[in-house]
Structures are given as structure tokens and as C-alpha cells.
Amino acid sequence: MEGELKAFVESLERNMTPEDVITLEACMDCKLCGHACAWYLATGDEKLHPTYKTKLIRDVYHSYMTLEGRVATALGLRKAPTLEDVRERMQSFWQCTACGRCTLTCPLGLSTRRVVRLGRAAYTDAGLSRANPTIKSIIENTENLRHSFGLTIPQVIGRVGLFLQNEGIEVPVEVHGADLLFVCPAAGNTKIPDYGIKMVKILNAAGVSYTVSPRVVDTGTEIDHIAVHHKLSRVMLEEWEAEADRLGVKQILLVECGCDVRTLYAEASEALGRPLKYPVVSVDALMLELIKDGRLPVEPLNTRITLHDPCYATRLSGLGEIFREILSYVTTDFVEMTPNREYNYCCNGGAGGMRLPENTELRRKISVLKANQIKLTGAELVTTPCVVCSLSLEDTCNVYGLAQPGERMVQVLFEVVYDAMEQALARRGELDRMYMPAELIGRDPDFFDAHSIGGRMAMLAHLPDFDKLVDWLEQDPIVKRFAATHPSVMDQLRGLRELAECPNC
Amino acid sequence: MLITLLDIVAPIVFTIFLVGLGLRLGRLLKALLFRQHFRGVTPNFIGAPPRMPLGAALKAVLIGPFAHFHRKSNSLWGYGLIAYHIAIITEVTGYTLSALILGARLLAGQPVPDVARHLEHSYNTSPSNLLAIIFGNGEALQSHFLFGSLAPVFVGVTWVAVGFAVVGNMALMITLLLRRSSAIVSDMDEASRGVRVAGRRPWDRMLVRTLIFCIIWTELFARLELVPGIVFVHAALGLALFTLFPFTYLFHIVYGFFAIAVATRRRMVGTIA
């Protein structure tokens, strides 16, 4: 057996749990899982059918991992998959979001999703997945920079700091003993500036005790879900825990990212081989509690809003009802999609669906089902508590003409909460509550300088490559996008440029 | 001749069956012993879904696929599958009960009926006769021996099962012959309106389905006592099914219980897949 195939089989051996053995043994190959899969339904392409993936893993399992299969293969009665077969089917494992909807139609409740993850892990362990440049970059960026998009810590702090300073918002950085550790997923701090602004404003306005870390700037769940690199996933989780230890926080704050939810709810136990050390509080549970307690004032919006249930948060982590409860406080016109909750159709963006550029055309074609769902609600705004879903849905709304040109029809749920909060605070004349976090109020100037975003930006100026960082910020598409609606950020950037040219001024 | 064949083949079939059963279940045992991984949800997850009661989770796993998908996508197949499974579970329970009772009586040294000769008391413990007692448990002679005064109740229940089996298996057979097995023939929801998927007719399904079709009809004829000795044909077909059992999709009958248990556990904690 070739080395890569051997490594593939060994990975399956290593990662296969008794549950996976049951799944592989019990599958009848009835093909009913295809009835739930958007990728298959919208295309009718057999290569997108869930069993196209599971069959390979089942064939490898029966040919190389069972006694009768090995005997039959040796006698020439069975054709064992070759390395070429394994390579040929690789793409199909990433033409799937591992959303788990297939389980809902399986008469035995088998989790095809787990088989897809087994397969992805085997491709990664065997080094085969590195043939895909995006997966390769995710692995290497996470290995080298601990950020799946390849941003360095100064780049993340510089970019978010630029936006925050422009808005006059403060964030507590490295505050020991805060209640919550807030780490933003890579997709959040890379693609959606509002993660660093509106989310922070909500936490500030509600007086939440939290801190951000100057060391951990990615939750690392893309390595868990796109690459399914178990070892690296464990490293990321351990570093997250170690940072929580170092900062002496009480809980980890889980922000609105489907992959983060699933990892912290279920996969972490598998990757770590034990439960996560820290209690986890989802920002949705937190926001709901704050709204109910009156610490986060909200005034319902009159916009007709529909909710997209993220697969990883609702189907795979059971959080669907919290989102609806939040919406009951922040909108007067909520309309359900059909089907909804765990039966909802996937956004087709998660776990690599959107991240891998080669999937774009296919993903858009498949999203006709999602577009139909949205259209049938007649909603003006779609909200979802997942960063990747929001990006994917935004694209779908644009492609299918549901949104007007230039209109942002999709918002992450916290943005809807933010709008309802801003409306309430404006009416009360308390908008200033959003700008200063509880952990920095009343602190002495030295503490403030050491633990505020302004102070951190000043520290960046002493880095030897600060001018390169400013160059990067000037070219950054996210900064440019932000500048389109916040032109004053260019003044902030000019200030940084002057600082870079004259660090001692 | 069929009786002689049954006597020769039955021990071989059961050996194959047991070896196959051992191999396939052995893999689960091995996995439980050597592949044990820590799995479970994060215990201190604030905002975690409330634990679903066992009954509700079981209902979601067993009824959910039919209610949300199969009833809408392919109703003939969906209803047929339910009818067929009601029948098969009742029938298998009946056969198992019969085998246990027969085994107990044999251990107690009691005489058994001789099915071929219609004798109430005999010491004919040949495989063919024992199989005819088990597989012919709905016939007057055998049911009286096995269940005594409760025979009419047992036969009554299994008659209902036979009815379900005939209807259910016919529905499945028709969908298979029309190549509509696993097809989508009507709308599942508004979002996927108009989506249709062609079905299929795999050879292993055809083989097994035809075998089961014959088993059901031979049982019907045996119960109606229309064809003398047909119970032995019924038993022979049953043996064929035993031979195929560990090496075809039929083995889902065994692994299905484990699969449903695992799926139910996942449902209870809100992690559906």
C-alpha cells in the first residue's frame, strides 16, 4: 500500500469511534440522505450525493479494516479503493458543508456528517488535502500564525484598533480577572468589521466584565471544521484555555459563529479527550439574559425580519430557541422560514463551502433553495447568528436579486440587537454607554494605557515593522470597505502613517 | 426431497450465519474495547438546549424522517416501509418467541409435533421439522403446541402482521420494480418545489425483496393451509435469508438498534448529527 493511502487508512483507524463503526456497518446505502442534501437536490449530480463520500469511506473500511474484506481483497473477490480513487473523490468531501441535514432523513438516524469529518481528517492526516491551495493555506496559517486567514497579531490589532479609535470606542485588553474572555473567530475579525465594533458596543453598554486577548486572535475552529486537523485543533483549544488561565477569567465568551458554537459545544471534548476546562457562555444566551434583566435596553424594530438557523448552531448544537427569544424582544415583525430550526436548508457557506473559491459557482447554484426560502417569507431583512452564514446569505441575496444593489439585506443577529439597543439608548439619551467598557471605567491612567486599545495601538508604533503594518492597512480591502461608510477612518490612518514615519514624535 | 435438503443445509446455514454475525458484531465489540474516545457535550455550556426526554427523542428519530421527508417525497414507498416494518418486527418477534419456547420444550424433554406427518407428539428433532415448527407458528398444529390456550391470540396478532407484510412488501416491491425506490416523486416543501430525483433498482435489493416477497406469500399459503407442505418451502426461503443476512444490507436489522440508540442519545443533547 502506498504511503499516503496507508496514512489515510491509519487516520481512519485512529479517529474512528464505536459510533462511526455503527454508522459504517448499519448504512443500507438506501440513498435517502440525498433527499435532505441541498447540494444534491439542486443539481441532481451523483457526485454531490452524500453516499458518494460515504461509499469511499465504507469501501476503505471494508477493504482494509475488516477481516473478511481483507481476505476477499487478497483473493481478488473485492476491489479495494486505490490511492487514485481516494484522490479522485477528495473534492466531493469539500463540496459539502457537513451540515448534518442528511441525518434527519436517514431511517436509522445515521450521521453522514461524522463520516465526512472522518474523511476530511484522513485526507489531512495523509497530507492529501494540502493539494488544495486553500486548505493548505488554512493549515499553514494556523500552524505558523495561529490565524486561519494568515493575519498576524499586529495586523488584527491594528485593523480593529483603527476602527475602534475612529469610533471612539474602548476595549479592555489583557485585563486580568475579568469575567469573560472574548476571542473573535478569524472570519469575524477578517471579514466583518462590525464584530469588533457593534459587538463591543453591546458589551460596553450592558456593563459586561470582559477582556480581549492580545495573544489569541482566532478561535481556530476553521482548522476543526474545514481541514479537520485534530492535532492542530487540540493545540488551538489548549492555547485558548491557557490564555484564559493566564488572564484568570471565569468564562469563555462564545460569539456568533456556527463553527465556534459546534466546536465549543461538542467537538472540543473529542479533540481534547476531555471536557473543556472553562464554562462557555454563548453571546446569544448572554444578550438574552441582559435584555431580560434590563441591563441591555432594546426597542423593537419594525422591520420584517426572518431568521436563518445556522446548521452548526441549531441542528448541531440545539440553540434555535434562544435566537427566536432574542428576536421576540428586538423586532415586532418576525416571520419564520419554511422549513426552519433543524430542518432548515443550509446556507451552503460553512465548513469550506464559501472559503474554497472553486465552490463559488456551485454554491450559488445550490443556493436557489435558500433564495426560495427567503423569498417566500417576504422579509426585508435576514438575520442569522453565524458570521459565515451571513456572508454566504448576503451573496445569495445579491445573486438571486432579493437585495437591491448596494443593499445589505443580511445581518448577523447581534447587529439586529445592536440596532434595537441603539434605538433604545438614543431615546434615553444614553448612547455614551456604548463607548467605555466596565473594566476600564475609573482606572488610573497607567492601567488605562496598558489595557486600552489606544494604548495597544501606541505600543504597535514601537514595532520595527510598524511602517509595513501601516502600508498593509492602507491596502487592506476591509479597511477600504470600512472607509466607504466611515471616511474619517482615513484621517486615523494618516495619523498612523505620520507615527510610522516619525516614531519618536 | 426438500425435507432432506433442509436437514443437510440448515446446520451449514446457521454456521455461516453465526460466523457472519460474530464477525460483524465483533467489530463493534472491538471498537468499544479499543476505540473508546471521549465524546460528549461541554458540561458547562451556558445556554445549552434543555435535555430532550427519551420518548420525544426516540419519536424524533423514528418518526421524524417519515413525517418530514418520506411521506412527502415518496408516499407509496414511505407508507409501504412503515407497514412492512410493523409486520417484520412483529413476525421476527413471533419467530424468536417460538424458537425460545421450542428450545425450552426440547430441553425439558417434551415431545414436539411432526409437521410433515401432522402428528401432535413426536421426537422428530430434525432441523427441517424444527424449522417448520418455528416458521409455521401460525398454523394450527404448531401454534397450539407453542402457545397452548394463547394460540388464538398469537395467531390473531400475527394475522394482522401478515396483512401489513403483504401490503407493505407489495408497496416496496412496486416502487422497486418501477424504479421509484429512493426517488422523489412529489414536493417536499415550497423551497424545493419541482425538485424530482430518479429512483433506482439495485440487484441486491431486488434479490432480497423478491425473497421476502416469496416468504410472505408462502407464509400466507401455509396459514391458509392451501398448499400442503408449503411450510417447508417457507422454511427453506427463511434459511436463504439467514445465509444472506450477515453479508447484505439486511444486517441493518441488528445494527439498526445500535444506530437508533446512538441517534436518540445525540437528539437528547441537541446534537442531531
Side-chain angles (χ1 to χ4, degrees):
Chain A
M1 204 193 305
E2 296 102 320
E4 285 162 321
L5 183 59
K6 193 164 176 267
F8 189 91
V9 175
E10 281 171 359
S11 170
L12 290 179
E13 287 264 14
R14 194 169 51 248
N15 294 321
M16 201 175 277
T17 64
E19 183 179 338
D20 301 320
V21 172
I22 291 169
T23 301
L24 295 172
E25 293 278 348
C27 179
M28 293 176 274
D29 198 25
C30 66
K31 303 238 177 222
L32 290 171
C33 41
H35 289 203
C37 175
W39 294 66
Y40 177 64
L41 288 178
T43 62
D45 183 351
E46 284 296 324
K47 287 188 173 179
L48 296 173
H49 197 288
T51 56
Y52 187 74
K53 297 172 270 285
T54 55
K55 188 171 184 321
L56 174 75
I57 302 300
R58 280 170 53 220
D59 282 350
V60 170
Y61 169 76
H62 285 297
S63 302
Y64 296 108
M65 295 162 71
T66 68
L67 179 66
E68 69 269 34
R70 282 199 295 256
V71 171
T73 305
L75 294 173
L77 301 171
R78 181 183 182 92
K79 190 185 172 298
T82 62
L83 181 58
E84 223 24 67
D85 298 327
V86 171
R87 278 209 176 102
E88 192 192 316
R89 294 205 177 207
M90 186 177 115
Q91 193 182 14
S92 72
F93 281 80
W94 276 271
Q95 286 172 331
C96 163
T97 53
C99 76
R101 196 170 190 262
C102 39
T103 299
L104 292 169
T105 184
C106 175
L108 296 175
L110 301 177
S111 175
T112 298
R113 176 182 186 274
R114 282 197 52 85
V115 180
V116 169
R117 279 178 61 81
L118 268 180
R120 285 191 182 192
Y123 279 108
T124 293
D125 290 345
L128 297 166
S129 68
R130 289 186 191 233
N132 181 298
T134 312
I135 300 168
K136 182 172 183 264
S137 80
I138 290 171
I139 295 171
E140 289 177 355
N141 288 335
T142 308
E143 278 172 345
N144 302 327
L145 299 167
R146 297 289 190 262
H147 189 284
S148 77
F149 283 84
L151 298 190
T152 61
I153 289 173
Q155 282 172 333
V156 174
I157 293 176
R159 182 200 274 164
V160 178
L162 186 69
F163 300 155
L164 290 171
Q165 284 201 310
N166 180 69
E167 299 283 295
I169 307 161
E170 264 309 338
V171 168
V173 185
E174 207 173 14
V175 175
H176 292 252
D179 287 349
L180 299 166
L181 172 61
F182 168 26
V183 180
C184 191
N189 62 36
T190 304
K191 299 286 180 193
I192 299 190
D194 282 340
Y195 251 100
I197 300 170
K198 289 181 180 171
M199 178 75 86
V200 160
K201 281 180 162 181
I202 291 171
L203 298 174
N204 288 354
V208 174
S209 165
Y210 72 101
T211 185
V212 298
S213 162
R215 296 185 183 178
V216 179
V217 292
D218 178 9
T219 55
T221 54
E222 291 201 318
I223 206 70
D224 188 18
H225 293 287
I226 299 182
V228 193
H229 193 315
H230 289 306
K231 278 186 201 161
L232 207 44
S233 179
R234 186 168 64 242
V235 168
M236 293 295 282
L237 287 164
E238 283 171 348
E239 286 183 2
W240 200 350
E241 284 182 330
E243 185 64 350
D245 285 343
R246 188 181 74 84
L247 294 173
V249 297
K250 297 184 185 75
Q251 294 173 337
I252 284 173
L253 179 63
L254 167 62
V255 300
E256 287 177 337
C257 163
C259 290
D260 278 16
V261 175
R262 173 65 185 191
T263 293
L264 290 194
Y265 186 55
E267 314 289 5
S269 303
E270 196 171 353
L272 292 166
R274 59 169 169 80
L276 200 77
K277 269 165 59 180
Y278 280 87
V280 177
V281 58
S282 90
V283 75
D284 297 299
L286 178 69
M287 287 193 299
L288 184 59
E289 188 194 318
L290 294 169
I291 292 170
K292 281 181 171 175
D293 286 356
R295 289 167 67 193
L296 187 67
V298 286
E299 194 173 297
L301 310 169
N302 293 322
T303 318
R304 174 164 254 217
I305 298 178
T306 188
L307 171 72
H308 164 78
D309 282 288
C311 307
Y312 281 39
T314 297
R315 188 176 307 121
L316 302 178
S317 309
L319 295 190
E321 295 314 311
I322 289 182
F323 312 141
R324 286 166 175 78
E325 211 176 337
I326 290 175
L327 283 167
S328 73
Y329 286 98
V330 298
T331 177
T332 55
D333 194 5
F334 170 64
V335 55
E336 284 279 13
M337 274 185 199
T338 307
N340 55 54
R341 295 179 170 82
E342 67 263 35
Y343 289 96
N344 187 30
Y345 280 105
C346 181
C347 72
N348 311 311
M354 186 152 197
R355 186 78 184 270
L356 274 54
E358 63 270 28
N359 284 338
T360 304
E361 196 184 327
L362 187 57
R363 175 176 55 77
R364 286 178 173 160
K365 186 177 178 186
I366 292 153
S367 294
V368 65
L369 299 174
K370 193 77 247 172
N372 289 346
Q373 272 192 294
I374 296 170
K375 203 172 170 182
L376 287 161
T377 64
E380 299 160 76
L381 183 73
V382 184
T383 189
T384 179
C386 170
V387 56
V388 174
C389 290
S390 77
L391 294 166
S392 179
L393 293 173
E394 200 174 324
D395 188 59
T396 298
C397 288
N398 290 331
V399 167
Y400 286 93
L402 302 176
Q404 299 301 317
E407 181 198 4
R408 202 171 157 231
M409 195 183 166
V410 183
Q411 287 189 1
V412 190
L413 182 57
F414 76 82
E415 295 182 272
V416 178
V417 173
Y418 173 83
D419 288 345
M421 175 194 76
E422 193 182 39
Q423 201 165 270
L425 290 177
R427 193 178 292 278
R428 291 171 172 213
E430 295 177 358
L431 284 169
D432 57 331
R433 279 173 58 175
M434 302 189 292
Y435 295 90
M436 192 57 67
E439 286 296 341
L440 294 182
I441 293 172
R443 299 285 195 168
D444 62 64
D446 288 345
F447 184 92
F448 195 88
D449 283 347
H451 298 283
S452 65
I453 195 71
R456 290 286 159 168
M457 291 292 276
M459 282 182 205
L460 287 182
H462 297 293
L463 292 176
D465 288 339
F466 184 59
D467 54 338
K468 283 186 186 156
L469 176 64
V470 179
D471 290 346
W472 179 82
L473 285 170
E474 275 180 347
Q475 298 304 317
D476 181 22
I478 302 296
V479 171
K480 286 180 182 166
R481 199 171 91 188
F482 189 76
T485 48
H486 302 78
S488 57
V489 80
M490 297 318 286
D491 297 332
Q492 294 285 333
L493 201 50
R494 267 190 290 278
L496 288 181
R497 166 65 65 206
E498 284 162 17
L499 210 56
E501 283 164 3
C502 178
N504 298 320
C505 295
Chain B
M1 186 184 156
L2 184 60
I3 291 173
T4 315
L5 187 73
L6 275 178
D7 288 337
I8 297 166
V9 165
I12 301 166
V13 163
F14 279 104
T15 307
I16 294 170
F17 172 77
L18 290 173
V19 169
L21 193 74
L23 275 174
R24 294 200 69 173
L25 282 179
R27 291 205 277 271
L28 178 61
L29 185 67
K30 187 181 156 198
L32 285 167
L33 291 174
F34 302 110
R35 291 190 203 280
Q36 195 70 51
H37 283 228
F38 183 89
R39 290 205 72 204
V41 295
T42 300
N44 296 321
F45 191 95
I46 297 156
R51 205 174 164 82
M52 196 185 238
L54 174 66
L58 199 57
K59 186 182 163 198
V61 171
L62 293 174
I63 308 294
F66 171 74
H68 291 273
F69 294 95
H70 313 151
R71 182 172 59 88
K72 298 170 187 167
S73 64
N74 194 335
S75 58
L76 179 63
W77 184 87
Y79 283 107
L81 188 82
I82 287 191
Y84 172 73
H85 276 86
I86 289 172
I88 209 79
I89 290 166
T90 315
E91 292 275 332
V92 169
T93 308
Y95 291 141
T96 309
L97 262 178
S98 304
L100 290 172
I101 293 168
L102 177 64
R105 300 241 167 138
L106 285 173
L107 283 175
Q110 293 175 7
V112 296
D114 187 319
V115 178
R117 293 179 188 170
H118 279 276
L119 292 174
E120 266 190 64
H121 300 288
S122 83
Y123 285 91
N124 181 0
T125 55
S126 65
S128 58
N129 191 47
L130 299 182
L131 287 170
I133 293 171
I134 294 168
F135 284 109
N137 59 12
E139 290 179 48
L141 180 66
Q142 293 96 310
S143 64
H144 179 71
F145 162 71
L146 290 166
F147 302 100
S149 59
L150 290 175
V153 178
F154 175 82
V155 173
V157 170
T158 50
W159 259 119
V160 177
V162 170
F164 273 103
V166 170
V167 173
N169 195 56
M170 282 290 273
L172 295 180
M173 197 76 189
I174 288 167
T175 52
L176 196 59
L177 289 170
L178 294 177
R179 213 183 264 277
R180 283 191 174 178
S181 188
S182 78
I184 296 177
V185 295
S186 50
D187 293 334
M188 286 185 290
D189 51 53
E190 279 295 304
S192 64
R193 177 177 280 275
V195 168
R196 296 290 180 269
V197 167
R200 58 197 196 109
R201 196 195 296 144
W203 70 268
D204 62 334
R205 292 294 199 285
M206 269 310 288
L207 174 73
V208 171
R209 185 61 52 212
T210 308
L211 199 58
I212 293 171
F213 183 83
C214 297
I215 287 173
I216 289 168
W217 283 92
T218 49
E219 166 142 24
L220 194 63
F221 289 155
R223 279 168 176 258
L224 294 171
E225 298 183 9
L226 289 175
V227 184
I230 199 164
V231 70
F232 292 103
V233 179
H234 182 62
L237 291 168
L239 280 188
L241 210 57
F242 264 97
T243 318
L244 293 175
F245 188 77
F247 308 105
T248 59
Y249 78 94
L250 279 170
F251 207 73
H252 80 270
I253 294 171
V254 175
Y255 262 108
F257 288 101
F258 297 112
I260 286 165
V262 169
T264 305
R265 197 180 62 183
R266 282 199 309 263
R267 274 270 179 177
M268 288 171 77
V269 294
T271 61
I272 286 163

